[in-house]
Amino acid sequence: MKKLPLKIAFLLTVFFTSFNAFSQDFQGKAYYQSKTTVDLDEFGGRDMSPERKKQIQERMKNFLEKEYVLTFNQAESIYKEEEKLEAPGGGRGFRFGSSLSSGPKYKNVKTKEVITDQEFFGKQFLIVDELKALEWKMGTETKQIGQYTCFKATATTTSDAFDITSFRRPGRGRGNDREEDKKEKDSLGSKTKGDKENPEVKEPKIIEVVAWYSPQIPVNQGPDGYWGLPGLILEINADRTTILCTKIVLNPEEKEEIEKPKKGDKVTQAEYTEIVTKKMEEMREMYGGRGRGGRGGGRGRN
């Protein structure tokens, strides 16, 4: 049998020793900050001035930068966004982004169950699916996050959730833009020609995930849908998103019951992604149609 590197053998020893020391009613809370970056050039921003891009990024800030709380025990967890007041006029023009934000996510690492309570355009969904495990490769690199020593692990995945960056913004209506769109579609060849319903949806891309976990907190939990390492995951870097733990409270005085979400129309993740994708395609077409109508009306005025 191949010998484990000394660091990995040590952290596994720490994990199992700590695991046995924690009581069955152990509970903890981990607070996370999530930040996602978006390349505005993919949304028709190539011709925007730096000032205009900065304005749009400020509008999108509430959608792209969020705070969450993960309440967990040895088997279950629930990951909820912390509510915060929106500044007057904040997010105007990107308010639909709130409909793409995930609701409370429940995970059970023993029963391999994941349930998300999600509202989308006024309709409540209950996304119920199997908790899929990533094939983590544990490394020996370490770093300190707060008072916790964390070890690095990597994996690759393809997201089955809706990704707003998989949609390009339609052309602004200028002749050159439309011609560029046509050329780009043609250059994609068979990837788009057979897809009449969603001609501008990109193929799922492989995402590299880098996780930092601490065996000092012996649970197989982590933020969002991430889990499966010998210690709580304190940081995730995946594609354009970084999730970082900023605070941990172990065995709080007032323990919170971890309940499964129950309300909403029951769907799988794949079914929900299809619903959202179709709705976003409708919005894309409506946006393009409204733009053409508005420009036509403008030309007809004196």
Side-chain angles (χ1 to χ4, degrees):
M1 183 181 289
K2 204 173 181 181
K3 283 189 176 181
L4 288 172
L6 186 60
K7 273 190 177 181
I8 295 179
F10 170 73
L11 73 91
L12 289 174
T13 301
V14 171
F15 174 81
F16 288 114
T17 302
S18 301
F19 185 86
N20 291 329
F22 278 75
S23 61
Q24 291 299 315
D25 62 346
F26 160 76
Q27 188 178 100
K29 282 180 176 285
Y31 297 78
Y32 294 87
Q33 289 182 345
S34 173
K35 292 186 179 181
T36 301
T37 59
V38 171
D39 185 357
L40 291 178
D41 288 349
E42 294 185 0
F43 294 84
R46 291 186 179 90
D47 297 330
M48 290 182 186
S49 66
E51 292 78 15
R52 179 58 176 160
K53 284 186 179 181
K54 187 176 180 181
Q55 288 175 355
I56 292 176
Q57 286 169 345
E58 283 298 317
R59 285 182 175 180
M60 297 170 68
K61 191 173 181 179
N62 285 343
F63 170 59
L64 299 175
E65 298 183 12
K66 294 181 177 292
E67 296 180 353
Y68 295 87
V69 179
L70 178 74
T71 304
F72 59 89
N73 56 35
Q74 290 180 345
E76 301 172 290
S77 70
I78 188 128
Y79 187 63
K80 294 181 181 179
E81 181 182 347
E82 285 200 295
E83 295 183 3
K84 56 184 177 181
L85 293 175
E86 185 177 325
R92 187 172 55 194
F94 206 77
R95 214 166 275 173
F96 76 91
S98 61
S99 293
L100 302 177
S101 301
S102 295
K105 184 187 292 289
Y106 168 89
K107 300 196 300 286
N108 189 315
V109 298
K110 285 188 176 179
T111 62
K112 302 298 184 290
E113 188 177 20
V114 57
I115 304 173
T116 305
D117 178 353
Q118 179 67 62
E119 182 181 345
F120 181 66
F121 280 91
K123 188 172 182 178
Q124 202 72 26
F125 292 92
L126 192 67
I127 306 171
V128 181
D129 222 323
E130 179 185 356
L131 185 59
K132 299 178 180 66
L134 293 178
E135 294 184 8
W136 294 107
K137 294 180 181 178
M138 294 191 294
T140 57
E141 187 178 344
T142 63
K143 76 173 180 178
Q144 203 76 10
I145 297 179
Q147 65 185 35
Y148 298 96
T149 300
C150 296
F151 290 79
K152 184 178 181 179
T154 59
T156 56
T157 184
T158 54
S159 177
D160 57 355
F162 177 80
D163 179 8
I164 190 172
T165 62
S166 68
F167 270 76
R168 289 194 306 106
R169 183 180 177 181
R172 296 296 298 269
R174 295 180 302 177
N176 290 340
D177 288 342
R178 287 197 300 270
E179 188 62 32
E180 288 175 4
D181 288 344
K182 290 177 183 176
K183 288 179 181 178
E184 184 171 343
K185 287 181 189 177
D186 291 341
S187 70
L188 294 175
S190 61
K191 288 185 179 181
T192 59
K193 285 183 179 179
D195 188 356
K196 295 180 181 179
E197 291 185 1
N198 298 305
E200 296 188 20
V201 178
K202 297 178 183 177
E203 291 290 316
K205 63 180 177 180
I206 295 176
I207 297 171
E208 182 178 358
V209 180
V210 177
W212 294 91
Y213 64 97
S214 176
Q216 292 170 262
I217 308 174
V219 294
N220 297 327
Q221 297 286 355
D224 202 7
Y226 299 102
W227 69 289
L229 286 167
L232 180 67
I233 299 172
L234 300 189
E235 183 177 338
I236 284 287
N237 294 283
D239 197 24
R240 295 176 178 176
T241 297
T242 296
I243 307 173
L244 177 64
C245 183
T246 58
K247 177 182 175 183
I248 295 174
V249 178
L250 298 179
N251 285 319
E253 291 183 8
E254 294 185 11
K255 293 187 178 179
E256 179 181 327
E257 187 176 354
I258 299 176
E259 296 182 339
K260 296 181 182 181
K262 297 177 181 177
K263 296 180 180 180
D265 292 348
K266 190 174 177 180
V267 293
T268 64
Q269 180 63 61
E271 290 169 340
Y272 178 73
T273 300
E274 183 180 359
I275 291 167
V276 175
T277 301
K278 286 182 178 179
K279 182 64 177 179
M280 295 305 296
E281 178 66 18
E282 289 173 9
M283 289 183 64
R284 184 188 68 83
E285 292 175 356
M286 287 175 62
Y287 176 86
R290 185 169 66 249
R292 287 190 295 271
R295 285 188 296 273
R299 285 192 298 267
R301 291 174 186 167
N302 293 323

